[in-house]
Amino acid sequence: MKKGHQVTMKEIAKKLGVSVSTISRALQDSPELHPETKRKIVEMAKEMNYQPNLLAQSLRISRTKTLGVIVPEIISHFFGSCVSGIQDTANSRGYNVMICQSNESIEQEKANIKSLVSSQVDGLLISLSRETNHYEHLYELYDREIPFVLFDRVNEDIPVSKITFNDVGGAYQVTKYLLETGCRRIMYVSGPEDLYISKKRKEGYLRALSEYGLGEEADLIKITDLTHEGNVRAAEEIAAMNPRPEAVFCMIDPLAVDVLTVWKSMGIKIPEDISLAGFTNNPTSAVVEPPLTTVSQPGYEMGKLSVSHLLDQLDGVASDDPISIVLETTLVPRKSTKPLPLK
Amino acid sequence: MKKGHQVTMKEIAKKLGVSVSTISRALQDSPELHPETKRKIVEMAKEMNYQPNLLAQSLRISRTKTLGVIVPEIISHFFGSCVSGIQDTANSRGYNVMICQSNESIEQEKANIKSLVSSQVDGLLISLSRETNHYEHLYELYDREIPFVLFDRVNEDIPVSKITFNDVGGAYQVTKYLLETGCRRIMYVSGPEDLYISKKRKEGYLRALSEYGLGEEADLIKITDLTHEGNVRAAEEIAAMNPRPEAVFCMIDPLAVDVLTVWKSMGIKIPEDISLAGFTNNPTSAVVEPPLTTVSQPGYEMGKLSVSHLLDQLDGVASDDPISIVLETTLVPRKSTKPLPLK
DNA sequence: CTGTTAGCGCCTTCAT
DNA sequence: ATGAAGGCGCTAACAG
């Protein structure tokens, strides 16, 4: 299929018998131009339906006004919200956005970066894949002075700005809540240990425990690979424990939902037999039965803040020195956990 | 923030004392080149970490190898799946993708098209916003010979390829199923009447009814604007009906979930008091209590097919004549509807 | 085999 | 107030 022809400045110029530079000036609303010629040009441009060729423009001024975004997957509600926030904010500031998914693969992540860099994006917003455990590709971006920020799934050592949630705080909130409802044997079900959030949420979990004079117990920490099968196995193993924990805090909602489903099918009553809590506040967690106690993370807000900061840096409004923005989470108590005792 | 400098062919050329064209040829693996010089160039390019400037390349060959995608919202599971399918397939065929959301606004849709066209995308994949009820912007694309396809939310009159689900068939499937479970007073809750899917699903609903000798009844058709408030109101109105319908078929899952929530809070038993069915098979519909009978639409598949067809057209593999691809849906019977009678 | 030349569409001095 | 010329990085004839 052949692509349709686009009107260029040259054609407007020929039609009007003026030079291309005059067209360029008119379309930029340059002051040093006869108002009448300007008017004529603008009119003609509209009539011919002229659309500037961003490619040429970008090549010339070596700025594309395009940002690259890499998320593990676009389909999850959380990352979808982030992307949404990024899009809206970027657009409102005159930037376009190219979105890529790493599909949780570090190789894909590298490929995405390469492709976006080749596309000459002015900056990047990256949330790391689950697989990402070495960071040469990011240091390379850094060395090449390509501006980028990390959000949600970050690495702490890379000297760029990072936008994260207070994962420690969120995990602390929910664990403390479980403690307040009277539970003591509280289990933490974690994803792979090298994941940033696995570590951070464990930290919050332990902090809350220690406030109640409790320490880490090996059999109250379980690890899953976060696949559906892995989650089901974890749920079954917990159900088979003797004694069972009084409450289980799952690192992310989808994991908690898997656990909930398995337990219900086994006839385990939630929260009577075991309290269950998640993290993220996916839409799903509100509609399962019983609704899931969880921690809400405003993804749209995170996306918004991430671009804002990056664009501020690009525009020179913000300093290039990396900063760390930490967003607070909110506990969302629902019916999957035992109620608070009356005072 | 200043952007880091990118290595260009010119610099490699200077370093090696050859001309730029030689570099270009070497990097394209041209056969008419001394193997030794080629080797040296490729090596040096790697050493200097050369990345081609896609902008310049695209400007030159007037093809960007990027596609534009416009969806009403990226955050919905269905459109997220479509976008995912589009991304993966496009990438595997060497194309990049720029994604935009219209946020269900026709003005935003127009702005998105303009921006993508300015970015010189080779083609577009569009799913129309809910607001879109006139189509000049699409006819303009057509007139300018910019290749595009419509998917899911399409307009039937525009002479381009369309990828849709068999909405009539899906609605027929679910309505027939409700009839088979013994229900006769079956209500159809629809979105705005000018929506393509509102019409199509109504058609399937009516077709199934007529097979059972039933006709359209005004009080068994209800319209909502699909906002949460509108849906709640619809649910309340249905609950207040006397007599109530035996079954309700909601045009989309989120609407059905809203209805389900309202009814549960009113103490209405599903499916004992009323059967309830949706359409789309969102993840949510599987986890609500009771799980929702619905119709599944493979979004990833739709995205995949849409790009494949567009790229085939771009590559000249497929004819430019518009075709219509219709994907079949699958009935997903769950517990929100009465069981089928034993034979 | 390799270099020279021209040009994709646009912007920006430098002239006039 | 306008035009001419040069160049962004790259490719593709056209020469040799």
Side-chain angles (χ1 to χ4, degrees), chain B residues 59-200:
Chain B
L59 181 61
R60 183 62 240 267
I61 65 178
S62 48
R63 283 181 63 232
T64 53
K65 285 261 188 180
T66 82
L67 262 26
V69 179
I70 304 175
V71 288
E73 45 168 14
I74 213 167
I75 204 178
S76 90
H77 185 265
F78 172 70
F79 285 118
S81 307
C82 292
V83 166
S84 230
I86 291 172
Q87 281 258 23
D88 292 350
T89 312
N91 288 346
S92 78
R93 288 183 60 167
Y95 277 74
N96 276 325
V97 163
M98 297 191 71
I99 298 158
C100 298
Q101 359 185 25
S102 61
N103 290 325
E104 303 287 8
S105 142
I106 184 170
E107 285 312 319
Q108 185 61 51
E109 186 173 289
K110 287 183 192 171
N112 288 338
I113 289 180
K114 198 166 174 176
S115 147
L116 290 171
V117 168
S118 270
S119 295
Q120 311 294 117
V121 293
D122 291 341
L124 290 160
L125 296 127
I126 307 176
S127 198
L128 300 176
S129 92
R130 247 173 220 158
E131 255 184 49
T132 303
N133 51 11
H134 58 269
Y135 307 94
E136 288 81 23
H137 51 308
L138 300 175
Y139 282 108
E140 191 189 319
L141 277 182
Y142 179 77
D143 290 339
R144 295 176 66 177
E145 295 183 46
I146 296 171
F148 71 108
V149 303
L150 256 24
F151 68 97
D152 193 55
R153 304 260 204 92
V154 308
N155 167 269
E156 294 187 290
D157 300 330
I158 304 166
V160 299
S161 288
K162 304 181 228 312
I163 294 84
T164 51
F165 287 108
N166 186 350
D167 280 286
V168 177
Y172 170 84
Q173 284 177 308
V174 66
T175 311
K176 187 168 170 217
Y177 178 77
L178 292 171
L179 287 160
E180 286 169 353
T181 64
C183 299
R184 287 299 173 272
R185 279 179 49 80
I186 300 172
M187 175 173 242
Y188 172 54
V189 187
S190 160
E193 287 178 280
D194 50 349
L195 266 190
Y196 176 86
I197 55 170
S198 300
K199 285 183 281 199
K200 288 295 168 182

Side-chain angles (χ1 to χ4, degrees), chain A residues 129-244:
Chain A
S129 92
R130 246 173 222 158
E131 257 184 47
T132 303
N133 51 11
H134 58 269
Y135 307 94
E136 289 82 22
H137 51 308
L138 300 175
Y139 282 109
E140 191 188 321
L141 277 181
Y142 180 76
D143 290 339
R144 295 175 66 176
E145 295 183 47
I146 296 172
F148 70 108
V149 304
L150 257 22
F151 68 97
D152 193 55
R153 304 257 204 93
V154 309
N155 167 270
E156 293 189 290
D157 301 329
I158 304 167
V160 299
S161 288
K162 306 181 227 310
I163 294 85
T164 51
F165 287 108
N166 186 349
D167 279 286
V168 177
Y172 169 84
Q173 284 177 307
V174 66
T175 310
K176 187 169 170 214
Y177 178 77
L178 292 170
L179 287 160
E180 286 169 350
T181 64
C183 299
R184 286 300 173 272
R185 279 178 50 80
I186 301 174
M187 175 173 242
Y188 171 54
V189 187
S190 159
E193 287 177 281
D194 51 349
L195 266 188
Y196 177 84
I197 56 171
S198 300
K199 286 183 279 199
K200 287 295 169 183
R201 293 179 190 173
K202 181 174 175 186
E203 196 180 323
Y205 158 79
L206 291 176
R207 183 181 298 175
L209 287 188
S210 77
E211 277 193 11
Y212 276 67
L214 301 167
E216 178 172 352
E217 277 187 49
D219 60 332
L220 286 181
I221 305 250
K222 184 170 279 298
I223 299 191
T224 149
D225 58 3
L226 298 177
T227 61
H228 179 69
E229 296 69 34
N231 297 347
V232 169
R233 207 175 319 120
E236 290 168 347
E237 287 170 9
I238 298 169
M241 281 173 73
N242 192 359
R244 286 183 187 151

Side-chain angles (χ1 to χ4, degrees), chain A residues 7-290:
Chain A
V7 178
T8 69
M9 289 190 172
K10 204 170 166 183
E11 299 174 82
I12 307 182
K14 192 157 65 181
K15 204 132 190 168
L16 253 37
V18 295
S19 80
V20 180
S21 357
T22 306
I23 306 292
S24 175
R25 278 190 270 255
L27 264 21
Q28 285 173 98
D29 203 23
S30 155
E32 48 176 28
L33 198 58
H34 193 93
E36 179 55 18
T37 35
K38 191 190 289 186
R39 198 192 52 71
K40 266 211 287 239
I41 291 173
V42 171
E43 198 170 280
M44 177 58 84
K46 191 179 297 173
E47 189 187 317
M48 296 176 71
N49 197 5
Y50 168 78
Q51 304 274 100
N53 183 326
L54 252 45
L55 245 51
Q57 212 165 306
S58 299
L59 181 61
R60 181 63 239 272
I61 65 178
S62 50
R63 282 181 65 232
T64 53
K65 286 256 185 185
T66 301
L67 262 27
V69 179
I70 304 175
V71 287
E73 46 168 12
I74 213 168
I75 204 178
S76 90
H77 185 264
F78 172 70
F79 285 118
S81 306
C82 292
V83 167
S84 229
I86 291 172
Q87 280 258 22
D88 293 350
T89 311
N91 288 346
S92 78
R93 289 183 62 166
Y95 277 75
N96 277 324
V97 163
M98 296 191 71
I99 298 157
C100 298
Q101 353 185 28
S102 62
N103 290 324
E104 302 287 9
S105 142
I106 184 171
E107 285 312 318
Q108 185 62 50
E109 186 173 288
K110 287 182 192 171
N112 288 338
I113 290 180
K114 198 165 177 178
S115 147
L116 291 170
V117 168
S118 269
S119 296
Q120 311 293 119
V121 292
D122 291 342
L124 289 160
L125 297 127
I126 306 177
S127 197
L128 299 176
S129 92
R130 246 173 222 158
E131 257 184 47
T132 303
N133 51 11
H134 58 269
Y135 307 94
E136 289 82 22
H137 51 308
L138 300 175
Y139 282 109
E140 191 188 321
L141 277 181
Y142 180 76
D143 290 339
R144 295 175 66 176
E145 295 183 47
I146 296 172
F148 70 108
V149 304
L150 257 22
F151 68 97
D152 193 55
R153 304 257 204 93
V154 309
N155 167 270
E156 293 189 290
D157 301 329
I158 304 167
V160 299
S161 288
K162 306 181 227 310
I163 294 85
T164 51
F165 287 108
N166 186 349
D167 279 286
V168 177
Y172 169 84
Q173 284 177 307
V174 66
T175 310
K176 187 169 170 214
Y177 178 77
L178 292 170
L179 287 160
E180 286 169 350
T181 64
C183 299
R184 286 300 173 272
R185 279 178 50 80
I186 301 174
M187 175 173 242
Y188 171 54
V189 187
S190 159
E193 287 177 281
D194 51 349
L195 266 188
Y196 177 84
I197 56 171
S198 300
K199 286 183 279 199
K200 287 295 169 183
R201 293 179 190 173
K202 181 174 175 186
E203 196 180 323
Y205 158 79
L206 291 176
R207 183 181 298 175
L209 287 188
S210 77
E211 277 193 11
Y212 276 67
L214 301 167
E216 178 172 352
E217 277 187 49
D219 60 332
L220 286 181
I221 305 250
K222 184 170 279 298
I223 299 191
T224 149
D225 58 3
L226 298 177
T227 61
H228 179 69
E229 296 69 34
N231 297 347
V232 169
R233 207 175 319 120
E236 290 168 347
E237 287 170 9
I238 298 169
M241 281 173 73
N242 192 359
R244 286 183 187 151
E246 296 163 76
V248 169
F249 161 41
C250 294
M251 191 186 84
I252 49 171
D253 278 353
L255 164 59
V257 169
D258 282 343
V259 170
L260 181 139
T261 310
V262 170
W263 285 358
K264 271 171 69 177
S265 74
M266 297 173 76
I268 296 178
K269 296 227 175 328
I270 305 162
E272 292 79 2
D273 297 339
I274 314 187
S275 282
L276 181 65
F279 203 115
T280 310
N281 196 21
N282 280 345
T284 299
S285 61
V287 295
V288 289
E289 191 64 35

